[in-house]
Amino acid sequence: MLRPRAWQALLRLLLIVLDLAALNLATQVAYALGAESLSGAGFRMPADPLTPLRLSVLGSVIALIVFASNGLYEMKRGASRLDEAVKVLTAVSLTMVLVIFVNALIGEFGGEEMPWTREILFQGWLLAVVACLTGRFLHRGLILILRRFDIDTRRVLIVGAREPGRLVWNTIRRRPELGYRVQGFLSDTVPIGEVIDGLPVLGRTDHIRRVIRATHADEVIIALSGRSSQDLIDVIALAEDESVAIKIYPDTFQLITNNGISIGDLRDLPLVSVKNAALDNPWNRMLKRALDLVVASGVLLFAAPVMLLIALAIRLESRGPIFFLQERVGLDGQPFWMIKFRTMRPDAEQFGTWTVQNDPRVTRVGRFLRRTSLDELPQLINVLIGEMSIVGPRPEQARWVEHFRQQIPRYMRRHKEKAGLTGWAQVNGLRGDTSIEERTRYDLYYVENWSLLFDIKIILRTIINFITGRQENAY
């Protein structure tokens, strides 16, 4: 079964395909109608058969940018159909204006333009609006069908079982098509196990991490009343450790500042969303994934001869496998098998799990590989298949993740992004046997302030450190 994020990505991709198909089909039909009705008035299509194709490609790119900028691919649950229709109308109109402008520029630079008439423009605009809305109506229908089979649903916990929490629950219960599966309440005033409006109380607010894990919750809605701002902040901090979306019912909105929040809604019920990681934005994820693919492919291509020499050196020095595979924890706390060149004796894990300076288990070739970070080159394979990123927090073993999450506040928030070969903590010397608390602070700064430029900056610093040999704490 695909993970929730994978379903979201597939449904978003399908929506993009439907929009682009609708726009291009509308254009083709408008031209066919226009050419037939105006053929006697000297209307002629371009002589070059590639001219319509070029403008179609440019128009599709423009449409994708305009539609995304208008928030038409955010996939919000409970979004108003009327609001969506207005956005589609605006986006189609702006796309048409920009395509006309680009078409004119093509003519100015000596290219062959596509001919326009007022009839074609009006018919194309009208058909595009109708086709896009029809495609989106069908898309909504498909989502409703999928949610009946428990696909694209979200498991929700409600913190607070008094009036605000009950209001949230009853609002969600009236809208089953939204795909929310509420698991229960958390309350400090109602006994555990008691059923309120058909929903059980699963634990106290300070049990939230355990309950999130037990119910595999995706989202937490906090609807507390009569609690201090510090209580609210404490609940948010506990929930953040579990990589879930967090929303707050506005009854408690006056308890917190405007920093790090955004307004969302559940159709009839306005909610406040606690700031998510920068890469929760699908377009940011697409940009980062594109950078990962370009960098990983390029480095693998040029480093292939070096990797062959390393493999030969490992084989000549000691018996055992060339590669070292170990289960690590990545995005959303999910495990994956990380690939590295083997740098230790084959029986190394029998004598410890944490590497320290001058570790006697490290081989001579391995010491060189670790000092230069060349042992991590095979992780580019993890990047290509989507398990890791070029830049991100370093992945740890599950046993250490469980230990650190108990000791360090907000530690699990670093798992809101894919693990990386390099990262903000690593380029600042925080690797190996260094402070986990300090490393986590750098990782959280990166997670909450990600940008494509930030990734490029970290990659460049990594290259400079490699060339100059400044691989701090690499052992």
Side-chain angles (χ1 to χ4, degrees):
M1 178 65 70
L2 291 176
R3 290 162 54 189
R5 278 200 181 191
W7 277 112
Q8 281 278 309
L10 282 174
L11 290 170
R12 185 176 288 110
L13 178 62
L14 175 61
L15 189 57
I16 291 171
V17 170
L18 287 172
D19 280 341
L20 295 182
L23 291 169
N24 283 283
L25 179 63
T27 303
Q28 294 296 323
V29 172
Y31 264 104
L33 294 174
E36 183 178 344
S37 61
L38 298 171
S39 57
F43 181 84
R44 293 290 182 273
M45 290 293 285
D48 184 356
L50 292 179
T51 297
L53 178 61
R54 293 191 194 100
L55 193 62
S56 176
V57 172
L58 285 171
S60 296
V61 172
I62 292 169
L64 188 58
I65 295 170
V66 171
F67 274 57
S69 301
N70 277 271
L72 285 165
Y73 298 120
E74 291 181 3
M75 306 289 288
K76 288 184 178 179
R77 294 170 187 267
S80 165
R81 293 184 182 183
L82 180 60
D83 289 346
E84 184 179 31
V86 172
K87 287 183 177 181
V88 167
L89 184 67
T90 303
V92 170
S93 302
L94 182 55
T95 298
M96 180 167 285
V97 170
L98 292 174
V99 169
I100 292 171
F101 176 71
V102 169
N103 190 55
L105 281 180
I106 290 173
E108 289 295 320
F109 285 96
E112 190 176 16
E113 298 180 45
M114 286 290 290
W116 307 113
T117 66
R118 281 179 297 179
E119 290 84 356
I120 289 175
L121 289 176
F122 177 74
Q123 289 172 352
W125 172 82
L126 183 61
L127 288 169
V129 171
V130 172
C132 282
L133 291 177
T134 301
R136 285 173 170 266
F137 175 77
L138 295 173
H139 188 266
R140 277 181 182 255
L142 174 62
I143 289 176
L144 292 180
I145 293 171
L146 290 175
R147 286 174 182 167
R148 288 174 190 164
F149 292 94
D150 210 29
I151 296 171
D152 190 45
T153 57
R154 292 181 72 80
R155 301 168 72 87
V156 178
L157 291 174
I158 300 174
V159 181
R162 292 181 176 178
E163 186 178 349
R166 293 171 64 185
L167 177 60
V168 171
W169 161 231
N170 286 311
T171 302
I172 292 174
R173 186 161 56 172
R174 290 195 303 268
R175 305 293 308 283
E177 72 275 9
L178 297 179
Y180 286 104
R181 303 290 184 260
V182 182
Q183 306 301 299
F185 293 107
L186 287 97
S187 175
D188 292 330
T189 59
V190 179
I192 296 174
E194 185 168 325
V195 176
I196 301 174
D197 293 343
L199 199 66
V201 175
L202 301 177
R204 303 296 181 214
T205 55
D206 57 354
H207 300 159
I208 188 167
R209 291 196 297 189
R210 177 173 56 79
V211 177
I212 288 172
R213 280 180 248 166
T215 59
H216 303 287
D218 305 299
E219 191 166 309
V220 171
I221 299 178
I222 301 173
L224 295 171
S225 61
R227 302 288 289 272
S228 70
S229 58
Q230 188 58 51
D231 287 342
L232 182 61
I233 291 169
D234 289 343
V235 174
I236 292 172
L238 288 171
E240 277 187 322
D241 281 348
E242 298 302 321
S243 297
V244 292
I246 304 169
K247 292 185 172 65
I248 305 171
Y249 178 58
D251 185 63
T252 55
F253 178 65
Q254 67 272 18
L255 299 178
I256 58 177
T257 68
N258 288 327
N259 184 38
I261 59 175
S262 61
I263 302 297
D265 72 270
L266 187 62
R267 196 62 164 290
D268 308 314
L269 187 69
L271 295 173
V272 177
S273 296
V274 175
K275 180 181 178 182
N276 293 321
L279 283 173
D280 282 349
N281 183 305
W283 304 108
N284 287 346
R285 289 202 301 271
M286 286 177 60
L287 283 174
K288 186 173 177 63
R289 183 61 179 151
L291 179 67
D292 285 343
L293 291 173
V294 169
V295 174
S297 301
V299 175
L300 274 174
L301 181 65
F302 288 103
V306 176
M307 293 175 71
L308 285 172
L309 289 174
I310 291 172
L312 180 61
I314 293 171
R315 175 63 71 190
L316 290 174
E317 183 182 21
S318 63
R319 293 182 179 180
I322 292 171
F323 297 106
F324 173 69
L325 276 72
Q326 189 176 67
E327 191 175 68
R328 298 290 179 98
V329 178
L331 180 67
D332 293 334
Q334 297 298 312
F336 71 97
W337 289 98
M338 187 184 72
I339 312 169
K340 299 177 68 173
F341 280 122
R342 180 173 62 83
T343 58
M344 292 187 175
R345 293 157 28 194
D347 60 349
E349 287 198 302
Q350 299 176 22
F351 301 95
T353 58
W354 192 267
T355 309
V356 295
Q357 194 167 10
N358 300 318
D359 198 311
R361 299 171 299 165
V362 179
T363 64
R364 286 177 299 174
V365 172
R367 201 168 303 282
F368 169 76
L369 295 178
R370 283 174 171 270
R371 191 168 59 249
T372 57
S373 296
L374 289 173
D375 61 317
E376 298 180 356
L377 282 175
Q379 290 173 45
L380 292 167
I381 299 170
N382 291 117
V383 174
L384 286 179
I385 62 180
E387 294 173 332
M388 291 182 67
S389 177
I390 295 294
V391 181
R394 285 297 296 161
E396 301 288 357
Q397 296 177 57
R399 72 184 80 177
W400 295 117
V401 170
E402 187 59 35
H403 175 72
F404 296 148
R405 80 190 299 172
Q406 302 294 337
Q407 305 294 324
I408 303 171
R410 304 180 74 223
Y411 177 81
M412 290 305 294
R413 189 164 173 77
R414 68 197 291 277
H415 292 280
K416 294 286 283 183
E417 292 189 15
K418 290 179 183 177
L421 273 77
T422 185
W424 188 229
Q426 291 94 296
V427 296
N428 283 284
L430 294 167
R431 55 189 293 180
D433 195 17
T434 54
S435 168
I436 299 299
E437 290 85 353
E438 190 69 15
R439 208 186 302 182
T440 301
R441 277 195 287 270
Y442 275 80
D443 286 339
L444 293 181
Y445 178 84
Y446 171 77
V447 168
E448 294 170 358
N449 295 276
W450 178 90
S451 70
L452 196 63
L453 187 60
F454 198 4
D455 267 9
I456 294 170
K457 173 183 175 180
I458 292 170
I459 291 170
L460 290 175
R461 282 189 57 173
T462 302
I463 294 170
I464 292 170
N465 289 346
F466 174 77
I467 293 172
T468 59
R470 290 187 301 178
Q471 303 282 340
E472 295 182 59
N473 298 307
Y475 44 75

